[in-house]
mmCIF file of all heavy atoms in Angstrom:
data_model
loop_
_atom_site.group_PDB
_atom_site.id
_atom_site.type_symbol
_atom_site.label_atom_id
_atom_site.label_comp_id
_atom_site.label_asym_id
_atom_site.label_seq_id
_atom_site.Cartn_x
_atom_site.Cartn_y
_atom_site.Cartn_z
ATOM 1 N N GLU Q 997 0.834 -1.194 0.000
ATOM 2 C CA GLU Q 997 0.000 0.000 0.000
ATOM 3 C C GLU Q 997 0.872 1.249 0.000
ATOM 4 O O GLU Q 997 1.832 1.331 0.769
ATOM 5 C CB GLU Q 997 -0.895 0.035 1.249
ATOM 6 C CG GLU Q 997 -1.989 -0.979 1.242
ATOM 7 C CD GLU Q 997 -2.831 -0.940 2.492
ATOM 8 O OE1 GLU Q 997 -2.275 -0.752 3.599
ATOM 9 O OE2 GLU Q 997 -4.046 -1.113 2.366
ATOM 10 N N ALA Q 998 0.504 2.200 -0.835
ATOM 11 C CA ALA Q 998 1.179 3.495 -0.849
ATOM 12 C C ALA Q 998 0.359 4.530 -0.086
ATOM 13 O O ALA Q 998 0.910 5.408 0.573
ATOM 14 C CB ALA Q 998 1.400 3.962 -2.282
ATOM 15 N N ARG Q 999 -0.966 4.405 -0.199
ATOM 16 C CA ARG Q 999 -1.890 5.276 0.540
ATOM 17 C C ARG Q 999 -3.130 4.459 0.890
ATOM 18 O O ARG Q 999 -3.481 3.522 0.172
ATOM 19 C CB ARG Q 999 -2.302 6.493 -0.293
ATOM 20 C CG ARG Q 999 -1.156 7.421 -0.627
ATOM 21 C CD ARG Q 999 -1.617 8.708 -1.280
ATOM 22 N NE ARG Q 999 -2.146 8.462 -2.626
ATOM 23 C CZ ARG Q 999 -2.807 9.374 -3.336
ATOM 24 N NH1 ARG Q 999 -3.051 10.585 -2.823
ATOM 25 N NH2 ARG Q 999 -3.244 9.097 -4.549
ATOM 26 N N LYS Q 1000 -3.791 4.849 1.992
ATOM 27 C CA LYS Q 1000 -4.979 4.131 2.448
ATOM 28 C C LYS Q 1000 -5.959 5.121 3.055
ATOM 29 O O LYS Q 1000 -5.555 6.105 3.674
ATOM 30 C CB LYS Q 1000 -4.598 3.102 3.505
ATOM 31 C CG LYS Q 1000 -5.789 2.325 4.077
ATOM 32 C CD LYS Q 1000 -5.403 1.546 5.312
ATOM 33 C CE LYS Q 1000 -4.771 0.238 4.941
ATOM 34 N NZ LYS Q 1000 -4.453 -0.583 6.108
ATOM 35 N N ILE Q 1001 -7.248 4.812 2.900
ATOM 36 C CA ILE Q 1001 -8.328 5.583 3.507
ATOM 37 C C ILE Q 1001 -9.218 4.590 4.239
ATOM 38 O O ILE Q 1001 -9.502 3.500 3.720
ATOM 39 C CB ILE Q 1001 -9.161 6.311 2.426
ATOM 40 C CG1 ILE Q 1001 -8.269 7.196 1.559
ATOM 41 C CG2 ILE Q 1001 -10.298 7.112 3.063
ATOM 42 C CD1 ILE Q 1001 -8.861 7.500 0.200
ATOM 43 N N GLN Q 1002 -9.677 4.963 5.433
ATOM 44 C CA GLN Q 1002 -10.590 4.123 6.205
ATOM 45 C C GLN Q 1002 -11.818 4.937 6.592
ATOM 46 O O GLN Q 1002 -11.690 6.032 7.120
ATOM 47 C CB GLN Q 1002 -9.913 3.584 7.473
ATOM 48 C CG GLN Q 1002 -8.800 2.630 7.187
ATOM 49 C CD GLN Q 1002 -8.111 2.087 8.418
ATOM 50 O OE1 GLN Q 1002 -7.244 1.264 8.270
ATOM 51 N NE2 GLN Q 1002 -8.445 2.527 9.612
ATOM 52 N N LEU Q 1003 -13.011 4.372 6.341
ATOM 53 C CA LEU Q 1003 -14.273 4.990 6.736
ATOM 54 C C LEU Q 1003 -14.844 4.207 7.902
ATOM 55 O O LEU Q 1003 -14.861 2.971 7.881
ATOM 56 C CB LEU Q 1003 -15.271 4.954 5.584
ATOM 57 C CG LEU Q 1003 -15.041 5.923 4.430
ATOM 58 C CD1 LEU Q 1003 -13.887 5.498 3.561
ATOM 59 C CD2 LEU Q 1003 -16.294 6.043 3.617
ATOM 60 N N TYR Q 1004 -15.336 4.950 8.896
ATOM 61 C CA TYR Q 1004 -15.871 4.357 10.119
ATOM 62 C C TYR Q 1004 -17.366 4.616 10.227
ATOM 63 O O TYR Q 1004 -17.886 5.573 9.664
ATOM 64 C CB TYR Q 1004 -15.158 4.952 11.339
ATOM 65 C CG TYR Q 1004 -13.702 4.596 11.408
ATOM 66 C CD1 TYR Q 1004 -12.755 5.325 10.688
ATOM 67 C CD2 TYR Q 1004 -13.257 3.536 12.180
ATOM 68 C CE1 TYR Q 1004 -11.411 5.002 10.741
ATOM 69 C CE2 TYR Q 1004 -11.912 3.208 12.241
ATOM 70 C CZ TYR Q 1004 -10.992 3.945 11.524
ATOM 71 O OH TYR Q 1004 -9.668 3.620 11.576
ATOM 72 N N ARG Q 1005 -18.056 3.773 11.009
ATOM 73 C CA ARG Q 1005 -19.494 3.928 11.232
ATOM 74 C C ARG Q 1005 -19.864 5.294 11.770
ATOM 75 O O ARG Q 1005 -20.935 5.815 11.476
ATOM 76 C CB ARG Q 1005 -19.993 2.893 12.249
ATOM 77 C CG ARG Q 1005 -20.075 1.513 11.752
ATOM 78 C CD ARG Q 1005 -20.720 0.616 12.818
ATOM 79 N NE ARG Q 1005 -20.286 -0.747 12.686
ATOM 80 C CZ ARG Q 1005 -20.663 -1.568 11.734
ATOM 81 N NH1 ARG Q 1005 -21.499 -1.155 10.813
ATOM 82 N NH2 ARG Q 1005 -20.215 -2.794 11.679
ATOM 83 N N ASP Q 1006 -19.001 5.864 12.602
ATOM 84 C CA ASP Q 1006 -19.320 7.148 13.235
ATOM 85 C C ASP Q 1006 -19.074 8.346 12.317
ATOM 86 O O ASP Q 1006 -19.198 9.491 12.740
ATOM 87 C CB ASP Q 1006 -18.541 7.312 14.540
ATOM 88 C CG ASP Q 1006 -17.029 7.368 14.352
ATOM 89 O OD1 ASP Q 1006 -16.547 7.420 13.201
ATOM 90 O OD2 ASP Q 1006 -16.314 7.361 15.374
ATOM 91 N N GLY Q 1007 -18.712 8.086 11.060
ATOM 92 C CA GLY Q 1007 -18.529 9.162 10.098
ATOM 93 C C GLY Q 1007 -17.091 9.606 9.893
ATOM 94 O O GLY Q 1007 -16.808 10.385 8.980
ATOM 95 N N ARG Q 1008 -16.165 9.133 10.727
ATOM 96 C CA ARG Q 1008 -14.764 9.501 10.530
ATOM 97 C C ARG Q 1008 -14.244 8.908 9.234
ATOM 98 O O ARG Q 1008 -14.582 7.791 8.875
ATOM 99 C CB ARG Q 1008 -13.889 8.999 11.682
ATOM 100 C CG ARG Q 1008 -14.103 9.720 12.967
ATOM 101 C CD ARG Q 1008 -13.259 9.137 14.089
ATOM 102 N NE ARG Q 1008 -13.657 7.739 14.295
ATOM 103 C CZ ARG Q 1008 -12.802 6.750 14.542
ATOM 104 N NH1 ARG Q 1008 -11.503 6.968 14.615
ATOM 105 N NH2 ARG Q 1008 -13.242 5.510 14.722
ATOM 106 N N ILE Q 1009 -13.413 9.673 8.541
ATOM 107 C CA ILE Q 1009 -12.738 9.209 7.328
ATOM 108 C C ILE Q 1009 -11.269 9.593 7.498
ATOM 109 O O ILE Q 1009 -10.922 10.770 7.462
ATOM 110 C CB ILE Q 1009 -13.319 9.862 6.058
ATOM 111 C CG1 ILE Q 1009 -14.832 9.647 5.982
ATOM 112 C CG2 ILE Q 1009 -12.622 9.307 4.818
ATOM 113 C CD1 ILE Q 1009 -15.502 10.417 4.854
ATOM 114 N N LEU Q 1010 -10.425 8.606 7.720
ATOM 115 C CA LEU Q 1010 -9.000 8.849 7.972
ATOM 116 C C LEU Q 1010 -8.167 8.377 6.792
ATOM 117 O O LEU Q 1010 -8.537 7.440 6.086
ATOM 118 C CB LEU Q 1010 -8.552 8.108 9.232
ATOM 119 C CG LEU Q 1010 -9.246 8.500 10.529
ATOM 120 C CD1 LEU Q 1010 -8.713 7.652 11.683
ATOM 121 C CD2 LEU Q 1010 -9.065 9.981 10.819
ATOM 122 N N LYS Q 1011 -7.021 9.046 6.611
ATOM 123 C CA LYS Q 1011 -6.104 8.638 5.549
ATOM 124 C C LYS Q 1011 -4.700 8.489 6.106
ATOM 125 O O LYS Q 1011 -4.359 9.082 7.131
ATOM 126 C CB LYS Q 1011 -6.132 9.630 4.391
ATOM 127 C CG LYS Q 1011 -5.687 11.042 4.732
ATOM 128 C CD LYS Q 1011 -5.869 11.942 3.517
ATOM 129 C CE LYS Q 1011 -5.596 13.393 3.811
ATOM 130 N NZ LYS Q 1011 -5.819 14.233 2.618
ATOM 131 N N ALA Q 1012 -3.914 7.678 5.405
ATOM 132 C CA ALA Q 1012 -2.530 7.436 5.809
ATOM 133 C C ALA Q 1012 -1.671 7.295 4.565
ATOM 134 O O ALA Q 1012 -2.133 6.849 3.516
ATOM 135 C CB ALA Q 1012 -2.418 6.176 6.655
ATOM 136 N N ASP Q 1013 -0.423 7.701 4.721
ATOM 137 C CA ASP Q 1013 0.606 7.425 3.724
ATOM 138 C C ASP Q 1013 1.871 7.079 4.486
ATOM 139 O O ASP Q 1013 1.821 6.907 5.710
ATOM 140 C CB ASP Q 1013 0.779 8.597 2.742
ATOM 141 C CG ASP Q 1013 1.261 9.890 3.389
ATOM 142 O OD1 ASP Q 1013 1.741 9.869 4.560
ATOM 143 O OD2 ASP Q 1013 1.173 10.932 2.734
ATOM 144 N N ALA Q 1014 2.980 6.979 3.814
ATOM 145 C CA ALA Q 1014 4.223 6.573 4.474
ATOM 146 C C ALA Q 1014 4.676 7.550 5.544
ATOM 147 O O ALA Q 1014 5.444 7.189 6.432
ATOM 148 C CB ALA Q 1014 5.323 6.390 3.432
ATOM 149 N N PHE Q 1015 4.186 8.782 5.507
ATOM 150 C CA PHE Q 1015 4.618 9.814 6.451
ATOM 151 C C PHE Q 1015 3.579 10.134 7.517
ATOM 152 O O PHE Q 1015 3.864 10.868 8.457
ATOM 153 C CB PHE Q 1015 4.971 11.094 5.691
ATOM 154 C CG PHE Q 1015 6.006 10.862 4.634
ATOM 155 C CD1 PHE Q 1015 5.647 10.805 3.303
ATOM 156 C CD2 PHE Q 1015 7.334 10.655 4.970
ATOM 157 C CE1 PHE Q 1015 6.595 10.579 2.317
ATOM 158 C CE2 PHE Q 1015 8.293 10.428 3.996
ATOM 159 C CZ PHE Q 1015 7.920 10.385 2.663
ATOM 160 N N HIS Q 1016 2.370 9.634 7.360
ATOM 161 C CA HIS Q 1016 1.277 9.939 8.281
ATOM 162 C C HIS Q 1016 0.557 8.649 8.650
ATOM 163 O O HIS Q 1016 -0.294 8.173 7.910
ATOM 164 C CB HIS Q 1016 0.269 10.899 7.643
ATOM 165 C CG HIS Q 1016 0.857 12.184 7.206
ATOM 166 N ND1 HIS Q 1016 1.365 12.366 5.946
ATOM 167 C CD2 HIS Q 1016 1.014 13.350 7.864
ATOM 168 C CE1 HIS Q 1016 1.818 13.607 5.847
ATOM 169 N NE2 HIS Q 1016 1.614 14.219 6.989
ATOM 170 N N GLU Q 1017 0.918 8.083 9.810
ATOM 171 C CA GLU Q 1017 0.267 6.890 10.321
ATOM 172 C C GLU Q 1017 -0.033 7.115 11.797
ATOM 173 O O GLU Q 1017 0.553 7.997 12.428
ATOM 174 C CB GLU Q 1017 1.155 5.661 10.147
ATOM 175 C CG GLU Q 1017 1.399 5.289 8.696
ATOM 176 C CD GLU Q 1017 2.215 4.024 8.549
ATOM 177 O OE1 GLU Q 1017 3.276 3.925 9.192
ATOM 178 O OE2 GLU Q 1017 1.787 3.132 7.806
ATOM 179 N N SER Q 1018 -0.946 6.320 12.335
ATOM 180 C CA SER Q 1018 -1.276 6.429 13.752
ATOM 181 C C SER Q 1018 -1.670 5.049 14.263
ATOM 182 O O SER Q 1018 -1.679 4.071 13.513
ATOM 183 C CB SER Q 1018 -2.441 7.410 13.952
ATOM 184 O OG SER Q 1018 -3.652 6.826 13.513
ATOM 185 N N ALA Q 1019 -2.070 4.999 15.521
ATOM 186 C CA ALA Q 1019 -2.560 3.733 16.079
ATOM 187 C C ALA Q 1019 -3.851 3.320 15.386
ATOM 188 O O ALA Q 1019 -4.172 2.137 15.321
ATOM 189 C CB ALA Q 1019 -2.780 3.875 17.580
ATOM 190 N N GLU Q 1020 -4.612 4.274 14.858
ATOM 191 C CA GLU Q 1020 -5.882 3.977 14.195
ATOM 192 C C GLU Q 1020 -5.730 3.543 12.748
ATOM 193 O O GLU Q 1020 -6.538 2.770 12.247
ATOM 194 C CB GLU Q 1020 -6.789 5.209 14.213
ATOM 195 C CG GLU Q 1020 -7.299 5.576 15.574
ATOM 196 C CD GLU Q 1020 -8.131 6.821 15.513
ATOM 197 O OE1 GLU Q 1020 -7.568 7.896 15.266
ATOM 198 O OE2 GLU Q 1020 -9.357 6.700 15.701
ATOM 199 N N ILE Q 1021 -4.742 4.065 12.057
ATOM 200 C CA ILE Q 1021 -4.600 3.780 10.627
ATOM 201 C C ILE Q 1021 -3.124 3.774 10.241
ATOM 202 O O ILE Q 1021 -2.350 4.633 10.667
ATOM 203 C CB ILE Q 1021 -5.385 4.785 9.750
ATOM 204 C CG1 ILE Q 1021 -5.286 4.411 8.267
ATOM 205 C CG2 ILE Q 1021 -4.977 6.208 10.029
ATOM 206 C CD1 ILE Q 1021 -6.210 5.201 7.359
ATOM 207 N N GLY Q 1022 -2.772 2.783 9.443
ATOM 208 C CA GLY Q 1022 -1.416 2.682 8.929
ATOM 209 C C GLY Q 1022 -1.416 1.804 7.693
ATOM 210 O O GLY Q 1022 -2.386 1.097 7.409
ATOM 211 N N LEU Q 1023 -0.342 1.870 6.965
ATOM 212 C CA LEU Q 1023 -0.212 1.045 5.764
ATOM 213 C C LEU Q 1023 0.155 -0.379 6.152
ATOM 214 O O LEU Q 1023 0.796 -0.613 7.175
ATOM 215 C CB LEU Q 1023 0.871 1.635 4.850
ATOM 216 C CG LEU Q 1023 0.658 3.075 4.405
ATOM 217 C CD1 LEU Q 1023 1.825 3.526 3.538
ATOM 218 C CD2 LEU Q 1023 -0.663 3.244 3.678
ATOM 219 N N SER Q 1024 -0.256 -1.317 5.325
ATOM 220 C CA SER Q 1024 0.080 -2.709 5.558
ATOM 221 C C SER Q 1024 1.599 -2.887 5.526
ATOM 222 O O SER Q 1024 2.278 -2.295 4.696
ATOM 223 C CB SER Q 1024 -0.573 -3.586 4.487
ATOM 224 O OG SER Q 1024 -0.199 -4.931 4.668
ATOM 225 N N GLU Q 1025 2.108 -3.713 6.424
ATOM 226 C CA GLU Q 1025 3.551 -3.959 6.482
ATOM 227 C C GLU Q 1025 3.983 -5.119 5.588
ATOM 228 O O GLU Q 1025 5.160 -5.435 5.512
ATOM 229 C CB GLU Q 1025 3.970 -4.198 7.924
ATOM 230 C CG GLU Q 1025 3.755 -2.957 8.785
ATOM 231 C CD GLU Q 1025 4.144 -3.169 10.227
ATOM 232 O OE1 GLU Q 1025 4.635 -4.260 10.585
ATOM 233 O OE2 GLU Q 1025 3.952 -2.223 10.997
ATOM 234 N N VAL Q 1026 3.021 -5.754 4.944
ATOM 235 C CA VAL Q 1026 3.292 -6.862 4.026
ATOM 236 C C VAL Q 1026 2.560 -6.599 2.717
ATOM 237 O O VAL Q 1026 1.581 -5.844 2.688
ATOM 238 C CB VAL Q 1026 2.855 -8.227 4.619
ATOM 239 C CG1 VAL Q 1026 3.636 -8.542 5.888
ATOM 240 C CG2 VAL Q 1026 1.369 -8.253 4.890
ATOM 241 N N PRO Q 1027 2.997 -7.201 1.619
ATOM 242 C CA PRO Q 1027 2.250 -7.042 0.366
ATOM 243 C C PRO Q 1027 0.794 -7.496 0.551
ATOM 244 O O PRO Q 1027 0.526 -8.467 1.270
ATOM 245 C CB PRO Q 1027 2.992 -7.938 -0.619
ATOM 246 C CG PRO Q 1027 4.365 -8.088 -0.045
ATOM 247 C CD PRO Q 1027 4.175 -8.039 1.448
ATOM 248 N N VAL Q 1028 -0.134 -6.814 -0.095
ATOM 249 C CA VAL Q 1028 -1.559 -7.063 0.143
ATOM 250 C C VAL Q 1028 -2.121 -8.263 -0.607
ATOM 251 O O VAL Q 1028 -3.235 -8.686 -0.338
ATOM 252 C CB VAL Q 1028 -2.400 -5.803 -0.173
ATOM 253 C CG1 VAL Q 1028 -2.047 -4.690 0.787
ATOM 254 C CG2 VAL Q 1028 -2.228 -5.368 -1.609
ATOM 255 N N GLY Q 1029 -1.404 -8.822 -1.535
ATOM 256 C CA GLY Q 1029 -1.912 -9.940 -2.317
ATOM 257 C C GLY Q 1029 -2.789 -9.440 -3.452
ATOM 258 O O GLY Q 1029 -2.754 -8.269 -3.820
ATOM 259 N N SER Q 1030 -3.625 -10.320 -3.965
ATOM 260 C CA SER Q 1030 -4.473 -9.934 -5.094
ATOM 261 C C SER Q 1030 -5.841 -9.494 -4.589
ATOM 262 O O SER Q 1030 -6.271 -9.875 -3.498
ATOM 263 C CB SER Q 1030 -4.638 -11.107 -6.065
ATOM 264 O OG SER Q 1030 -5.522 -12.065 -5.530
ATOM 265 N N ILE Q 1031 -6.523 -8.746 -5.415
ATOM 266 C CA ILE Q 1031 -7.872 -8.315 -5.049
ATOM 267 C C ILE Q 1031 -8.807 -9.516 -4.934
ATOM 268 O O ILE Q 1031 -9.714 -9.525 -4.104
ATOM 269 C CB ILE Q 1031 -8.392 -7.245 -6.033
ATOM 270 C CG1 ILE Q 1031 -9.626 -6.557 -5.418
ATOM 271 C CG2 ILE Q 1031 -8.659 -7.846 -7.399
ATOM 272 C CD1 ILE Q 1031 -10.007 -5.278 -6.095
ATOM 273 N N ASP Q 1032 -8.574 -10.554 -5.724
ATOM 274 C CA ASP Q 1032 -9.385 -11.769 -5.616
ATOM 275 C C ASP Q 1032 -9.198 -12.442 -4.257
ATOM 276 O O ASP Q 1032 -10.156 -12.966 -3.686
ATOM 277 C CB ASP Q 1032 -9.050 -12.749 -6.737
ATOM 278 C CG ASP Q 1032 -9.503 -12.253 -8.099
ATOM 279 O OD1 ASP Q 1032 -10.467 -11.452 -8.156
ATOM 280 O OD2 ASP Q 1032 -8.895 -12.653 -9.103
ATOM 281 N N ASP Q 1033 -7.956 -12.421 -3.736
ATOM 282 C CA ASP Q 1033 -7.706 -12.982 -2.403
ATOM 283 C C ASP Q 1033 -8.548 -12.266 -1.356
ATOM 284 O O ASP Q 1033 -9.112 -12.892 -0.462
ATOM 285 C CB ASP Q 1033 -6.232 -12.864 -2.019
ATOM 286 C CG ASP Q 1033 -5.320 -13.730 -2.852
ATOM 287 O OD1 ASP Q 1033 -5.803 -14.709 -3.456
ATOM 288 O OD2 ASP Q 1033 -4.107 -13.417 -2.905
ATOM 289 N N VAL Q 1034 -8.623 -10.947 -1.459
ATOM 290 C CA VAL Q 1034 -9.411 -10.162 -0.513
ATOM 291 C C VAL Q 1034 -10.901 -10.436 -0.703
ATOM 292 O O VAL Q 1034 -11.633 -10.692 0.261
ATOM 293 C CB VAL Q 1034 -9.107 -8.656 -0.659
ATOM 294 C CG1 VAL Q 1034 -9.999 -7.822 0.250
ATOM 295 C CG2 VAL Q 1034 -7.637 -8.366 -0.390
ATOM 296 N N ALA Q 1035 -11.364 -10.395 -1.941
ATOM 297 C CA ALA Q 1035 -12.794 -10.574 -2.232
ATOM 298 C C ALA Q 1035 -13.299 -11.959 -1.832
ATOM 299 O O ALA Q 1035 -14.482 -12.111 -1.520
ATOM 300 C CB ALA Q 1035 -13.052 -10.327 -3.714
ATOM 301 N N ASN Q 1036 -12.432 -12.941 -1.820
ATOM 302 C CA ASN Q 1036 -12.844 -14.303 -1.475
ATOM 303 C C ASN Q 1036 -12.886 -14.563 0.025
ATOM 304 O O ASN Q 1036 -13.271 -15.654 0.443
ATOM 305 C CB ASN Q 1036 -11.928 -15.326 -2.156
ATOM 306 C CG ASN Q 1036 -12.191 -15.408 -3.644
ATOM 307 O OD1 ASN Q 1036 -13.313 -15.226 -4.099
ATOM 308 N ND2 ASN Q 1036 -11.143 -15.667 -4.409
ATOM 309 N N GLN Q 1037 -12.507 -13.592 0.845
ATOM 310 C CA GLN Q 1037 -12.574 -13.758 2.290
ATOM 311 C C GLN Q 1037 -14.003 -13.493 2.767
ATOM 312 O O GLN Q 1037 -14.666 -12.569 2.275
ATOM 313 C CB GLN Q 1037 -11.626 -12.788 2.987
ATOM 314 C CG GLN Q 1037 -10.169 -13.059 2.723
ATOM 315 C CD GLN Q 1037 -9.288 -12.095 3.475
ATOM 316 O OE1 GLN Q 1037 -9.500 -11.834 4.646
ATOM 317 N NE2 GLN Q 1037 -8.300 -11.545 2.788
ATOM 318 N N PRO Q 1038 -14.479 -14.292 3.718
ATOM 319 C CA PRO Q 1038 -15.820 -14.035 4.263
ATOM 320 C C PRO Q 1038 -15.892 -12.620 4.830
ATOM 321 O O PRO Q 1038 -14.915 -12.100 5.368
ATOM 322 C CB PRO Q 1038 -15.961 -15.065 5.386
ATOM 323 C CG PRO Q 1038 -14.906 -16.081 5.136
ATOM 324 C CD PRO Q 1038 -13.812 -15.401 4.377
ATOM 325 N N ASP Q 1039 -17.018 -11.983 4.690
ATOM 326 C CA ASP Q 1039 -17.302 -10.651 5.230
ATOM 327 C C ASP Q 1039 -16.644 -9.505 4.466
ATOM 328 O O ASP Q 1039 -16.735 -8.353 4.888
ATOM 329 C CB ASP Q 1039 -16.924 -10.542 6.716
ATOM 330 C CG ASP Q 1039 -17.643 -11.566 7.573
ATOM 331 O OD1 ASP Q 1039 -18.800 -11.895 7.259
ATOM 332 O OD2 ASP Q 1039 -17.041 -12.043 8.556
ATOM 333 N N PHE Q 1040 -15.963 -9.784 3.354
ATOM 334 C CA PHE Q 1040 -15.341 -8.731 2.557
ATOM 335 C C PHE Q 1040 -15.883 -8.736 1.136
ATOM 336 O O PHE Q 1040 -16.131 -9.789 0.562
ATOM 337 C CB PHE Q 1040 -13.809 -8.906 2.491
ATOM 338 C CG PHE Q 1040 -13.114 -8.572 3.768
ATOM 339 C CD1 PHE Q 1040 -12.890 -9.546 4.721
ATOM 340 C CD2 PHE Q 1040 -12.690 -7.274 4.026
ATOM 341 C CE1 PHE Q 1040 -12.242 -9.240 5.911
ATOM 342 C CE2 PHE Q 1040 -12.046 -6.955 5.208
ATOM 343 C CZ PHE Q 1040 -11.825 -7.942 6.160
ATOM 344 N N SER Q 1041 -16.041 -7.554 0.580
ATOM 345 C CA SER Q 1041 -16.279 -7.424 -0.859
ATOM 346 C C SER Q 1041 -15.264 -6.405 -1.356
ATOM 347 O O SER Q 1041 -14.997 -5.409 -0.682
ATOM 348 C CB SER Q 1041 -17.714 -6.987 -1.157
ATOM 349 O OG SER Q 1041 -17.968 -5.717 -0.625
#
């Protein structure tokens, strides 16, 4: 991941990049795999 955005139920929308991370949001420390790998997990689309 180079950049990420997370939306929360309470309306918060947070973003992160290599220079801006927090305990709430950060970039994955491992390669993310394929989009099919993610889509095939239960509870994810």
Side-chain angles (χ1 to χ4, degrees):
E997 289 179 321
R999 296 188 291 169
K1000 178 192 277 183
I1001 304 157
Q1002 294 180 177
L1003 286 74
Y1004 294 83
R1005 287 186 207 287
D1006 64 7
R1008 289 177 298 140
I1009 305 172
L1010 299 179
K1011 62 184 174 182
D1013 63 14
F1015 304 104
H1016 302 90
E1017 294 183 310
S1018 73
E1020 291 178 291
I1021 183 170
L1023 302 179
S1024 177
E1025 296 179 3
V1026 298
V1028 295
S1030 75
I1031 195 165
D1032 291 334
D1033 292 339
V1034 176
N1036 287 328
Q1037 294 182 45
D1039 302 326
F1040 287 91
S1041 63

